[in-house]
Each structure stands twice: as structure tokens, then as C-alpha cells.
Amino acid sequence: MGSEPLLSVRNVSKKFGGVLALSGVSLDVFTGDIVGIIGPNGSGKTTLVNAITGFIQADTGAVHFKGKDITNWKPHKIAALGLTRTFQVMRPYFSLPAYKNLIVPLFSPRARKTGGWRGGGKMGSRDTVAVDILEEIGFERDSYVPFKMASSLPTGYLKRLELARCLALRPEIIICDEVFSGLSMSEMASMVPLIEKLQMEGITLIMVEHRLRELFRLAGRVVVLNFGCKIAEGTSEEVMEYPEVKEAYFGSEEVYDYV
Amino acid sequence: MSGSKGDRRKERIDRGIKVRSDSVYAISSWKEITYLIAPRLVLILGLALAPLLLSAAPYWQRVVSIICVYSLLAIGFDFLANYVGLVSLGGGFYVGVGAYAAALLNTYFGLPPIITIPMATLLGAIICTVLFLPCLPLRGVYFAIVSLMYPLLAARIIEALDIFGGTDGILGVDGFSNVWLEQYFLILCVLVMVFALRRLVEEDIGLVFRGVKDNDQAVKASGININEFKALGVFIASALGCLGGACLTHMYMWAGLSQFALDFSIIPIAATVVGGGGTLVGPVLGCMILVPVSELLRDFGSLRIAVYSIVLTAFIVFKSEGIMTYAARKYEQFERWVEI
Ligand SMILES: Nc1ncnc2c1ncn2[C@@H]1O[C@H](COP(=O)(O)OP(=O)(O)O)[C@@H](O)[C@H]1O
Ligand SMILES: [Mg+2]
């Protein structure tokens, strides 16, 4: 690992009215990492993602990406720099075939510059590139899945569609906001190798999760949030040793939901 | 819903011919080709024949031109509202800017209408877009309200500062060399704009516009500046309005404060509701109905507004989808009752 982090979040805080959704959270992400961010519901995970990607303005703190200070940049400029994210609440074009959902990111200046998916010079028609990306992410072309209406796809595919939307930009970092939630056991089982594949392709990933088991398989390092504060950081084994984490997760009877 | 036996549900299914003409087989038979082009032909022939059929009634010939001006505005309104997500009540502003630009270019620089109209369209659209830039981040009803202020403010400013002829307006503008040229030029503009915009929204860029409307967060996260696209949308809509305004100036050989009138902001919405939002053709149909109705009602004075409101309310209550949406559905699908 290089000494310079690819993404560095310093002391970010955010208040919504009286609620302190984030308080002084810091975090470093290095190229090639899979970093997990976990925490109970309402602990500020999505708020942190929003603050990093420019969807909300942090009250204090700074975010650096590739050595640039991107604090309070507009979301589209951050995405154009190669830092993109999925949304916990997906809203694809249900009335369009799956591959048409990728036209928007492929239309962006970044996708034009990077030549769509595999790079290299002139981009084919966006439709072709879109189908290629979907195939890459597990939409079986032989059974015409990329051409199916988004409204007819199960959640597992919709989550992948959301990932594909990010991939179309050929990003350096993808922040996944709960890609595992709402998936069936078999869908989760097939999502794990997909994430590993993205990592092997050189994409740095930040996985925001509520569920722990799949995340612990993937993430080299885990950050735990509770009530907007970072309460632990380390490998998955290490963070489970923190009493605060045990309190936050295992103090409740929901323990079997998580692990 | 109760699951009792005998419950029935209406099911809509694409007609076979619609499915066939969607695909490569479209060119396989005259039947499919006719099916595809018949609606377009009806619109083109209908508009093209109107001036001829009305040539005996010069007053109604003029109404055809006015329908076209309103149609341009309504197409722009529909595009902006249903594909970009900006509900703009600035129609009066677009017309006014286009009208004054054409009048100034004609009277000060002596340019003929063939040059003033395209120039006023382009310049006017640039002016409108730049002036609307600060409002682009506004959402929904806030954008609508602020856009409504523009025509009102513009008229008051011209009046108060007594510029551009003040309340008298700009007189002595050249007219079209003849009424046929006026009519067919406007009809051509409407047809070209309808077909061009219908094509545009089906292109990749159209999906981006729709993304800006339906899910701007995902568009931002895709590295696209939504304000650029909103500005482009306003540019297109205001260009349509300015084109209408410029033509209006040369039709009446005059540019005045009444070209900032609220009618130009309101009738396009009514026409879009009546004709069917999101279809881009519907608003033209809406204008074909509403503009003549409002001419007929002219004798009733201010009662006109009451009748207008009733028509509009009736439409929203009974056929909220609009004529064009309804017609397209009947044309493309059949219905049948199925047991559940
Ligand atoms: N836009 C907002 N306005 C007000 N409060 C918010 C907003 N977004 C999040 N919050 C609050 O901030 C806290 C953290 O929320 P969030 O980041 O969504 O949690 P998580 O993603 O970990 O479930 C919650 O208490 C939530 O109610
Ligand atoms: Mg969340």
C-alpha cells in the first residue's frame, strides 16, 4: 500500500436539527481496499456516504480524494473524479429495459472520456456498452436478462443494476450503501464473488452494511459507527472484541439477525 | 379487492399490428407502414389543409396562426414539464422577449423577417436561459411561481422605465409579405418542432432529461451536472416561445406589453392537460381545441375565463390522461375483460 490514502475523511460532523447524525468521523481508504462501514440503523452510515459524495454539506471536517480537497464539492464533480456510490433506495427506470438504465451514466463526460466500460478510444453505441457492462455484472445475455424490463427484475438484479450504474463511469471508488439488504440467501451468495471480482479489477470499495456475515467475508478493515460516532476500527475479528461494539450489536437480542 | 368468483378485471393488450410495426417487420407490408404513418399523416394534412379550407374566412385564417404560436409554447411547456421536470409558467416571458427582439432587430437594424425570426429565436432563447439560470435549482411549485414573475416583471419594467416604446410598444414592424407565407411558415415550424422533439426524447440525451426529472440523485451520482441539462431544457422551451413571439410581432407588425400577457403562460398548460402531457403532440391538439374555443368565447368578455375553467376542470376530472394519451392507447391496444 502506498503511504497516501486514496480517500481520507477527517473529522466530519453533521447535525440535522437537534440530531447529531455524524460527530467527528475520520477514515482512511487505500487503493484496492474493501472497507466495511457497519452500525445499527440510524447510526449515520448513509449520512457519512452523503457527506463524502457531496449529497449533503458537512458542518465540519474535510474529505480528500486522490490528494484533492473535495469537501463540499458538488456530487457530479465528485463522481466525475471517480468516486461514485449506490443508493440504499433504488429508483431505476422501471418502464425501460435494464440496459437502457445505463444510458445516463454512459452519457456523462467521465464515461465519454474513459470510453465507457473497458476503455480504449471510441465508444461503441451506448446500448452495446451498456449490455456489456450488465453481462459483466451477471445479467445473463443468453437468457436476455439485460433486455428485460427493469420492472420485471427481482431485487438481486436491481441491486446489480445499481452497481452497474456506478461501473459505467469506470470509477476508482464505489461506495455501496447496503447492497446486501433485501437479498435472498442465494442472491447474497452470488453477490459476494461479484464484489470480489470488482476488487480484483482494481476498484476500491466501501461497503456500508447493516448485516455482518457477508461483509466480514469481504472487508479487510471495518469501521463501526454508533450514534454518529466511530466506536471501533480494525479487522473484523478486532472490532468484535470492542466492548462498545458488543454493546451496540450483541447487547440486543437481535444478535441472530446480524451474524 | 374481493376474490369472489365472477370478479372481472380489464386487461389491455398491445394490438398485433402495433407489435409488428415496432420491429423490423415494419417495412414488410403496406398495412404496417400505413399503421405507422397514418397518425402522422393526419396531423400533417390536417395542419396543411387548415389555411386552404379557411381561406374564405380571413379572421379564422389568423386563428390558425395563433394556434401555431400557442402550439409552439405548449410543446415547449410539455417538454419542460414532462421530460425535464420544470413546470414553467414563463411562457409570456419567452413570447415577449422573442417579440421585442424581433421588433428591435427589424426597426433599428432594418433586418427583414427572414433574418429577424431566427435571430430573435436564438438571441431570445439565450437571454431567457441566462435569466432563468438562478432559478434552476428550485423545485416543483417554487420554480413555477418564480417563472410566473418573469413576464409580469418584464412588462412592469418596460412600462416604468419607458424603454422600447414604453406602453405604446414598438410600432412600424414589417409584416409577412403575405398571409400564406405566414401560415405555412408557422405550420412548418410546429410540425418540425413536434417531430424533432419527439425524436430527441427517444435519443440517449432524452433519457438523461428524463433522469433529471425522475431521479436527479442518480443522475448527479453518474457525474452529470443536472443544472446544465435543466438549462438546455429551458433553452429549448424558450427558443420555441421566442420563435412564436417573433412570428407574432411580424403578424401584428407591432411588439407591445400585451405580448408578456399571462395567456401565453396559462393556455399552454391548459392545452397540455387537455391534449395529454408527455406526448408532445397532445399539446398541439389541445391548442387546436382551446384557441378556437377562446376566440368563440371572446364575445362573452370575462365570462370566457369561467367557461375556460369549467372545460379544464371537466377534463381533469373525467379524462385526466388527455386526448392524445387516450387516443394512442385505443390505437395501440385493445381491452378485454378477464376473470380473476
Ligand atoms: N435529511 C435528514 N434530515 C433529518 N435527519 C436526518 C436526515 N438524514 C438522516 N437523518 C437522521 O440522521 C440519523 C442517521 O441516519 P442515517 O445516516 O440514514 O443512518 P443509517 O444509514 O446508519 O441507518 C438518523 O437519526 C436520521 O433520522
Ligand atoms: Mg442507511
Side-chain angles (χ1 to χ4, degrees):
Chain A
M1 292 288 145
S3 51
E4 272 286 291
L6 182 61
L7 177 75
S8 121
V9 178
R10 282 284 153 268
N11 203 23
V12 167
S13 302
K14 178 74 192 178
K15 231 180 192 153
F16 291 112
V19 184
L20 191 58
L22 278 181
S23 90
V25 175
S26 297
L27 165 70
D28 282 329
V29 180
F30 294 90
T31 310
D33 275 359
I34 297 185
V35 174
I37 297 177
I38 62 171
N41 260 329
S43 56
K45 304 182 297 292
T46 301
T47 308
L48 179 61
V49 175
N50 285 339
I52 294 173
T53 51
F55 281 86
I56 59 168
Q57 308 258 305
D59 298 334
T60 67
V63 183
H64 288 259
F65 174 52
K66 294 199 285 190
K68 282 200 176 76
D69 186 355
I70 58 164
T71 319
N72 296 339
W73 275 25
K74 290 272 182 331
H76 69 91
K77 289 184 79 180
I78 294 175
L81 205 59
L83 169 56
T84 178
R85 55 138 345 149
T86 69
F87 289 93
Q88 192 173 349
V89 183
M90 304 161 296
R91 282 196 288 142
Y93 287 120
F94 285 113
S95 57
L96 290 178
Y99 75 96
K100 283 282 183 196
N101 277 273
L102 299 191
I103 299 299
V104 171
L106 288 173
F107 203 91
S108 72
R110 180 179 172 89
R112 285 181 209 204
K113 211 164 60 204
T114 54
W117 179 226
R118 287 266 162 256
K122 199 163 160 285
M123 187 155 87
S125 112
R126 292 193 184 86
D127 291 354
T128 325
V129 182
V131 175
D132 286 349
I133 295 172
L134 286 179
E135 198 178 19
E136 193 77 24
I137 204 155
F139 282 59
E140 299 82 1
R141 192 201 295 250
D142 296 338
S143 32
Y144 302 102
V145 189
F147 305 99
K148 288 201 173 132
M149 284 294 163
S151 55
S152 70
L153 294 173
T155 322
Y157 280 104
L158 292 179
K159 293 270 179 186
R160 287 168 195 222
L161 189 58
E162 186 68 12
L163 265 178
R165 188 180 55 64
C166 296
L167 280 178
L169 292 179
R170 305 188 81 224
E172 282 160 68
I173 301 186
I174 301 179
I175 307 182
C176 305
D177 199 355
E178 307 217 1
V179 283
F180 285 108
S181 65
L183 297 189
S184 70
M185 280 306 177
S186 64
E187 284 170 335
M188 274 191 230
S190 63
M191 186 65 92
V192 171
L194 185 68
I195 301 285
E196 284 169 339
K197 193 169 114 189
L198 295 181
Q199 184 193 24
M200 293 212 297
E201 282 167 3
I203 296 171
T204 307
L205 289 136
I206 300 175
M207 312 279 302
V208 173
E209 281 306 326
H210 174 71
R211 295 193 44 107
L212 302 185
R213 189 192 290 153
E214 284 72 24
L215 187 76
F216 283 177
R217 272 188 59 187
L218 288 166
R221 194 153 47 88
V222 178
V223 169
V224 189
L225 294 183
N226 199 17
F227 297 113
C229 301
K230 183 163 95 172
I231 56 170
E233 179 170 5
T235 64
S236 43
E237 294 82 22
E238 282 164 16
V239 296
M240 292 327 280
E241 296 304 316
Y242 282 82
E244 297 92 332
V245 177
K246 283 188 180 147
E247 174 68 25
Y249 265 95
F250 302 98
S252 68
E253 63 273 43
E254 290 175 78
V255 47
Y256 297 109
D257 276 359
Y258 295 119
V259 175
Chain B
M1 264 188 217
S2 71
S4 71
K5 213 173 157 234
D7 258 3
R8 295 192 310 162
R9 172 171 74 83
K10 216 188 233 173
E11 189 178 66
R12 294 189 181 128
I13 300 165
D14 277 2
R15 291 181 198 278
I17 191 163
K18 151 88 170 121
V19 176
R20 284 197 304 282
S21 46
D22 265 354
S23 66
V24 283
Y25 304 112
I27 45 169
S28 65
S29 89
W30 279 109
K31 221 173 141 192
E32 272 87 24
I33 295 173
T34 315
Y35 179 83
L36 269 183
I37 62 172
R40 294 168 174 82
L41 222 54
V42 169
L43 179 72
I44 295 171
L45 287 180
L47 274 172
L49 291 179
L52 293 174
L53 296 177
L54 295 171
S55 58
Y59 175 79
W60 286 98
Q61 258 193 323
R62 179 45 61 84
V63 172
V64 172
S65 301
I66 296 171
I67 289 174
C68 289
V69 171
Y70 276 113
S71 294
L72 289 169
L73 277 167
I75 299 163
F77 174 84
D78 189 20
F79 170 69
L80 212 50
N82 289 305
Y83 289 93
V84 192
L86 295 172
V87 177
S88 165
L89 301 182
F93 188 68
Y94 309 149
V95 169
V97 170
Y100 273 84
L104 291 171
L105 287 169
N106 181 255
T107 51
Y108 278 81
F109 302 102
L111 299 171
I114 192 168
I115 297 177
T116 58
I117 292 176
M119 269 184 80
T121 303
L122 213 64
L123 275 176
I126 292 170
I127 293 169
C128 293
T129 310
V130 169
L131 291 177
F132 269 99
L133 281 182
C135 314
L136 294 182
L138 297 178
R139 285 158 174 273
V141 72
Y142 299 102
F143 182 85
I145 291 168
V146 174
S147 64
L148 185 62
M149 293 296 127
Y150 277 73
L152 301 176
L153 267 177
R156 291 296 84 77
I157 288 172
I158 290 174
E159 199 181 335
L161 299 182
D162 203 16
I163 44 173
F164 307 141
T167 43
D168 295 335
I170 301 170
L171 301 160
V173 179
D174 291 338
F176 283 96
S177 48
N178 72 60
V179 66
W180 298 105
L181 182 71
E182 167 196 312
Q183 309 226 307
Y184 280 103
F185 176 71
L186 271 162
I187 288 170
L188 190 72
C189 286
V190 170
L191 289 174
V192 167
M193 292 306 169
V194 165
F195 290 122
L197 273 184
R198 271 179 78 99
R199 168 62 80 80
L200 181 88
V201 298
E202 292 301 323
E203 296 285 323
D204 288 355
I205 192 172
L207 287 176
V208 181
F209 276 127
R210 284 161 64 179
V212 171
K213 173 178 178 254
D214 297 334
N215 191 354
D216 58 345
Q217 302 264 315
V219 177
K220 287 180 192 170
S222 303
I224 290 176
N225 184 351
I226 61 165
N227 283 338
E228 275 173 22
F229 279 82
K230 285 182 179 177
L232 185 58
V234 170
F235 180 83
I236 292 172
S238 57
L240 289 167
C242 291
L243 173 60
C247 293
L248 214 54
T249 288
H250 289 295
M251 270 159 61
Y252 289 120
M253 299 189 267
W254 170 76
L257 291 182
S258 64
Q259 274 145 348
F260 288 104
L262 279 188
D263 287 22
F264 296 115
S265 294
I266 304 299
I267 292 184
I269 308 178
T272 304
V273 169
V274 170
T279 60
L280 298 171
V281 180
V284 179
L285 286 183
C287 289
M288 287 179 184
I289 295 167
L290 290 181
V291 176
V293 166
S294 98
E295 287 300 322
L296 286 173
L297 292 173
R298 208 169 268 286
D299 301 336
F300 292 87
S302 52
L303 206 58
R304 191 160 73 122
I305 302 296
V307 176
Y308 227 81
S309 315
I310 291 169
V311 170
L312 201 60
T313 313
F315 250 97
I316 294 173
V317 172
F318 295 111
K319 269 274 162 278
S320 56
E321 58 185 357
I323 297 170
M324 192 58 206
T325 321
Y326 178 79
R329 190 154 51 73
K330 290 286 172 203
Y331 194 67
E332 290 171 354
Q333 299 177 316
F334 63 89
E335 287 169 351
R336 66 175 179 201
W337 290 96
V338 288
E339 304 273 336
I340 24 177

